């Protein structure tokens, strides 16, 4: 996950730099403007792929956490059920001594 985050941050920085270069490109020099525009398109495409990978990683982590919480809740409910069942059995056995 940390590698994906670093890759995302680097890609985001690259996109920001490409956007700045595109904004500062001299429109009178057509060749330079075209070169900067093509570079921007490539960086933008790369950023989109990296950002989708990053979002996928976040979703996977959230799904794992959700499953862990569900497993914990099921085990807690099972422990409570066992506790109350044992308590009920003990009280039922003590019923004989009441009489």
């Amino acid at each position: 996950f940390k590698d994906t985050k670093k890759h995302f941050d680097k890609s985001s920085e690259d996109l920001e730099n490409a956007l700045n270069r595109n904004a500062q490109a001299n429109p009178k020099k057509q060749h330079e403007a075209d070169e900067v525009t093509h570079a921007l398109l490539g960086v933008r495409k790369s950023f989109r792929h990296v950002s989708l990978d990053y979002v996928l990683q976040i979703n996977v982590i959230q799904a794992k956490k959700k499953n862990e919480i569900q497993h914990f809740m099921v085990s807690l409910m099972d422990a409570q059920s066992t506790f109350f069942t044992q308590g009920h059995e003990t009280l039922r056995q003590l019923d004989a001594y009441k009489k």
Side-chain angles (χ1 to χ4, degrees), residues 8-22:
F8 172 76
D9 289 340
K10 171 125 177 48
S11 183
S12 178
E13 212 172 280
D14 291 345
L15 178 63
E16 186 176 332
N17 291 336
L19 286 169
N20 285 334
R21 275 185 264 131
N22 189 46

Side-chain angles (χ1 to χ4, degrees), residues 20-86:
N20 285 334
R21 275 185 264 131
N22 189 46
Q24 294 172 355
N26 189 352
K28 293 180 182 177
K29 296 181 180 178
Q30 187 63 32
H31 177 66
E32 183 181 318
D34 287 343
E35 187 177 305
V36 171
T37 301
H38 288 295
L40 174 62
L41 291 175
V43 170
R44 187 179 287 159
K45 185 176 181 179
S46 173
F47 175 75
R48 288 178 182 159
H49 288 289
V50 170
S51 62
L52 285 176
D53 288 341
Y54 184 54
V55 168
L56 176 66
Q57 289 290 329
I58 291 171
N59 284 338
V60 166
I61 289 171
Q62 287 178 343
K64 285 181 182 178
K65 286 182 181 179
K66 184 178 180 180
N67 283 339
E68 289 174 6
I69 290 171
Q70 287 175 341
H71 288 303
F72 173 75
M73 292 301 294
V74 167
S75 65
L76 178 66
M77 291 172 61
D78 185 45
Q80 281 186 329
S81 173
T82 302
F83 173 76
F84 288 122
T85 302
Q86 287 175 351

